[in-house]
């Protein structure tokens, strides 16, 4: 009996082993299929992001257009310095108008509709510049591209955040800033090889890709849910997550959040200062204030003159500056969902303070004729530390957090306010930079260092961490705290 029982045990053990051998490759195959399915599920999200950031590239192309074309446009059209200065600066006024209207437009005609309209303004603007025979046509074209750029600055990161999965949202939204930097750098580089009219035509290429691509990609599911288009909402979410993906939980969370928001009155600009929205508005607007008043636009617009005034060759310095800005911004997009928003902001702001101090010190040494040979190198190091530190965090994260922290019922008004503050700050900084440098080069950069030091305190005390959380949970937490 014992022997028979032992034999049965042995046979059962062998059967279990055989089953395990059979099951093992099946489990491996199943896991492989799941991984492949997840990969396939994200294809539409990646494609939609690529199409959307063509608007970001257009944004960068608009910003970078005036620098390499200044001499040629002035010579061909016989423009004075004042006329060309108006041409350059009117871009920010167009962007401010675009920023004011961007939120309501994106709420009324949708995220895709807003991007389509922005592209149309940019196309009209580039064509006006291409056919320009005088200052008026140039200014109208520049104003139109500025308007499109202002709308893009809001709607692109919002659209990407609303279509992305939680684990991809930070990295994909930060591509917005990466493509802005790339657009600026490409304009700088190809602007040295093309005529100013040909460079204007080149600006049509990303607009054409965007306009065509918008026919392929789905609308933001969250916007569709907000306006009550239930069937379209489910179709869009299914396309973004894949036909085999389980969207029930995500769809239910979005719908529940929308039902909560429906109970709230539609917000206007003054409603943003109610207690329930005050923290999110403080975070979004505050980050943009520090982003711009910390010296960004002045340093970017006048990089060449900074290098020239320090005695360093401006052409070499500008090329190094452009390449480093793109490379470090790309690095930041890979770190944002691994490290988190808050740590990157702190590292970035600290580096910007150091860069400002180094640059200011170099001008102090030059002004007092101390270490004259070393001062130009110190300027280059300081500016590169500034732009490298800025690009890895402060350049990316304010846009990402703007798209994350505002509830959808106030996102239009809050987004418009935030982008208006951004463009107003850009104008103030770029307008005052030369006056400040005339007053004191050392004092200018120490002033910027002080602003960025305040930014560190602001991040520590006010800014929340949003990594790895759904938009609904972020917004619920920040507006009830």
């Amino acid at each position: 009996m014992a022997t028979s029982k032992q034999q049965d045990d042995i046979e059962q053990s062998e059967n279990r082993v055989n089953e395990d051998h059979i099951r093992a490759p099946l489990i491996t195959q199943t896991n492989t299929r799941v991984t492949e399915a997840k990969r396939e599920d994200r294809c539409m999200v990646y494609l939609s992001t690529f199409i959307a950031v063509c608007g970001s590239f257009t944004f960068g192309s608009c910003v970078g257009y005036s620098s390499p074309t200044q001499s040629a446009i002035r010579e061909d059209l016989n423009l004075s310095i004042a006329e060309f200065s108006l041409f350059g600066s009117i871009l920010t006024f167009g962007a401010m108008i675009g920023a004011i209207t961007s939120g309501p437009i994106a709420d009324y005609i949708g995220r895709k509709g807003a991007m389509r309209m922005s592209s149309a303004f940019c196309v009209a603007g580039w064509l006006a510049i291409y056919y320009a025979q005088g200052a008026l046509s140039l200014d109208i074209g520049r104003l139109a591209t500025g308007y499109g750029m202002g709308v893009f600055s809001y709607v692109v990161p919002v659209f990407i955040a609303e279509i992305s999965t939680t684990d991809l949202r930070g990295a994909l939204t930060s591509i917005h800033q990466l493509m802005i930097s790339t657009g600026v750098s490409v304009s700088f580089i190809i602007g040295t090889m093309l005529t100013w009219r040909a460079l204007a035509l080149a600006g049509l290429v990303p607009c054409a890709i965007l306009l065509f691509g918008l026919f392929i990609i789905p609308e933001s599911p969250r916007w569709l849910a907000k306006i009550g288009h239930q069937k379209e909402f489910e179709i869009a979410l299914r396309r973004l997550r894949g036909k085999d993906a389980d969207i029930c939980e995500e769809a239910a969370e979005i719908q529940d959040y929308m039902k909560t928001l429906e109970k709230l009155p539609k917000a206007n600009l003054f409603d943003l200062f109610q207690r329930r929205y005050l923290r999110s508005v403080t975070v979004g607007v505050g980050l943009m204030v520090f982003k711009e008043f910390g010296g960004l636009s002045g340093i970017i617009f006048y990089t060449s003159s900074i290098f020239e005034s320090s005695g360093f060759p401006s052409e070499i310095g500008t090329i190094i500056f452009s390449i480093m800005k793109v490379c470090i911004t790309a690095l930041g997009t890979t770190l944002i969902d691994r490290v988190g928003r808050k740590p990157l902001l702190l590292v970035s702001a600290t580096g910007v303070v150091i860069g400002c101090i180094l640059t200011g010190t170099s001008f102090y040494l030059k002004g007092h004729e101390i270490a004259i040979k070393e001062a130009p190198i110190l300027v280059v190091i300081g500016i590169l530390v500034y732009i490298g530190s800025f690009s890895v965090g402060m350049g990316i994260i304010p846009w990402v957090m703007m798209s994350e922290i505002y509830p959808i019922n106030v996102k239009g008004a809050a987004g418009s306010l935030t982008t208006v503050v951004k463009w107003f700050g850009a104008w103030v900084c770029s307008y005052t930079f030369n006056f400040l440098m005339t007053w004191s080069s050392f004092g200018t950069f120490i002033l910027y260092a002080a602003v960025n030091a305040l930014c560190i305190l602001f991040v520590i005390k006010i800014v929340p961490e949003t990594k790895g959380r759904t938009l609904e949970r972020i917004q619920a937490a920040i507006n009830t705290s």
Side-chain angles (χ1 to χ4, degrees):
M1 291 287 293
T3 306
S4 176
K5 188 177 181 181
Q6 287 174 352
Q7 274 185 330
D8 290 341
D9 290 342
I10 290 169
E11 287 175 3
Q12 289 174 5
S13 298
E14 288 175 349
N15 289 337
R16 279 196 294 270
V17 170
N18 289 333
E19 287 174 4
D20 288 342
H21 281 302
I22 294 168
R23 193 182 296 117
L26 291 176
I27 293 170
T28 304
Q29 290 172 9
T30 303
N31 288 339
T32 303
R33 288 194 199 102
V34 170
T35 303
E36 288 174 355
K38 284 183 179 178
R39 222 178 271 133
E40 290 171 1
D41 289 345
R42 295 180 173 184
C43 287
M44 184 53 75
V45 174
Y46 293 141
L47 176 62
S48 300
T49 300
F50 169 75
I51 296 299
V53 296
C54 288
S56 310
F57 188 92
T58 300
F59 180 153
S61 300
C62 296
V63 172
Y65 179 78
S66 59
S67 181
T69 60
Q70 179 173 350
S71 300
I73 290 177
R74 287 193 60 208
E75 184 178 342
D76 288 356
L77 301 183
N78 195 27
L79 300 185
S80 65
I81 283 286
E83 288 174 321
F84 189 85
S85 296
L86 177 61
F87 169 72
S89 63
I90 203 171
L91 184 78
T92 57
F93 284 98
M96 278 191 272
I97 298 169
I100 292 168
T101 59
S102 60
I105 287 171
D107 284 346
Y108 185 69
I109 63 174
R111 301 354 182 182
K112 285 175 60 178
M115 286 189 280
R116 192 174 284 115
M117 189 196 71
S118 301
S119 295
F121 269 92
C122 288
V123 167
W126 285 126
L127 290 175
I129 292 171
Y130 176 76
Y131 287 109
Q133 298 299 323
L136 180 61
S137 182
L138 276 178
D139 292 342
I140 291 172
R142 188 72 164 166
L143 187 67
T145 57
Y147 180 84
M149 187 176 78
V151 177
F152 277 137
S153 67
Y154 166 74
V155 74
V156 171
V158 166
F159 174 75
I160 296 172
E162 290 181 350
I163 66 169
S164 300
T165 55
T166 301
D167 60 320
L168 291 175
R169 189 179 62 243
L172 292 183
T173 308
S174 62
I175 294 175
H176 170 64
Q177 181 64 35
L178 173 62
M179 292 303 286
I180 293 172
S181 300
T182 304
V184 172
S185 298
V186 169
S187 290
F188 280 172
I189 294 167
I190 68 172
T192 62
M193 298 179 280
L194 299 177
T195 65
W196 64 271
R197 294 187 191 273
L199 187 60
L201 281 184
L204 297 175
V205 175
C207 296
I209 295 172
L210 178 59
L211 285 170
F212 176 75
L214 288 172
F215 290 104
I216 302 171
I217 63 175
E219 179 58 273
S220 162
R222 286 177 169 85
W223 179 75
L224 291 170
K226 179 193 171 189
I227 62 172
H229 289 190
Q230 179 65 28
K231 185 177 179 181
E232 291 85 350
F233 158 70
E234 292 176 359
I235 292 171
L237 190 59
R238 174 70 65 191
R239 288 187 66 194
L240 288 165
R241 301 295 178 257
K243 63 179 183 179
D244 298 322
D246 182 7
I247 63 169
C248 295
E249 184 178 347
E250 184 178 7
E253 185 174 5
I254 293 171
Q255 294 281 28
D256 288 345
Y257 188 64
M258 294 303 163
K259 288 176 183 175
T260 303
L261 292 178
E262 284 174 6
K263 299 173 184 176
L264 301 174
K266 188 172 181 179
N268 56 41
L269 189 63
F270 297 104
D271 292 330
L272 298 179
F273 301 99
Q274 294 177 10
R275 186 175 179 181
R276 70 164 71 102
Y277 305 126
L278 195 57
R279 189 182 178 206
S280 57
V281 171
T282 302
V283 171
V285 172
L287 286 175
M288 286 298 181
V289 167
F290 288 113
K291 175 184 170 78
E292 292 302 331
F293 286 88
L296 172 65
S297 293
I299 290 171
I300 286 183
F301 283 19
Y302 301 105
T303 303
S304 296
S305 65
I306 293 171
F307 289 135
E308 285 175 4
S309 62
S310 70
F312 191 85
S314 62
E315 296 84 359
I316 297 173
T318 302
I319 291 171
I320 296 172
F321 179 92
S322 299
I323 293 172
M324 186 171 184
K325 191 174 190 303
V326 173
C327 293
I328 299 298
T329 303
L331 176 64
T333 64
T334 65
L335 294 176
I336 190 168
D337 278 326
R338 297 181 186 179
V339 177
R341 283 61 157 160
K342 197 163 183 172
L344 268 185
L345 280 173
L346 290 172
V347 170
S348 177
T350 302
V352 167
V353 171
I354 294 170
C356 288
I357 291 172
L358 288 174
T359 307
T361 301
S362 69
F363 280 112
Y364 179 84
L365 294 175
K366 184 183 177 184
H368 290 78
E369 297 184 352
I370 304 170
I372 295 176
K373 291 183 179 180
E374 290 77 13
I377 300 299
L378 193 59
V379 166
V380 175
I381 294 171
I383 292 295
L384 293 182
V385 169
Y386 177 98
I387 199 60
S389 301
F390 179 88
S391 298
V392 80
M394 286 298 296
I396 301 171
I397 294 172
W399 293 114
V400 174
M401 296 202 74
M402 182 193 75
S403 67
E404 293 178 326
I405 60 177
Y406 295 138
I408 200 163
N409 67 311
V410 299
K411 189 168 277 188
S416 293
L417 175 63
T418 305
T419 46
V420 166
V421 168
K422 180 259 185 299
W423 288 114
F424 177 73
W427 176 76
V428 169
C429 186
S430 59
Y431 181 77
T432 59
F433 183 80
N434 285 326
F435 295 105
L436 289 172
M437 289 290 283
T438 302
W439 162 66
S440 170
S441 300
F442 167 71
T444 299
F445 283 95
I446 296 304
L447 178 63
Y448 291 154
V451 172
N452 287 292
L454 291 174
C455 179
I456 295 173
L457 296 176
F458 179 80
V459 172
I460 293 171
K461 296 289 186 181
I462 304 294
V463 177
E465 180 56 73
T466 60
K467 184 187 81 166
R469 302 164 72 187
T470 66
L471 295 181
E472 288 71 30
R473 290 175 184 171
I474 292 168
Q475 292 155 14
I478 194 172
N479 292 300
T480 56
S481 59

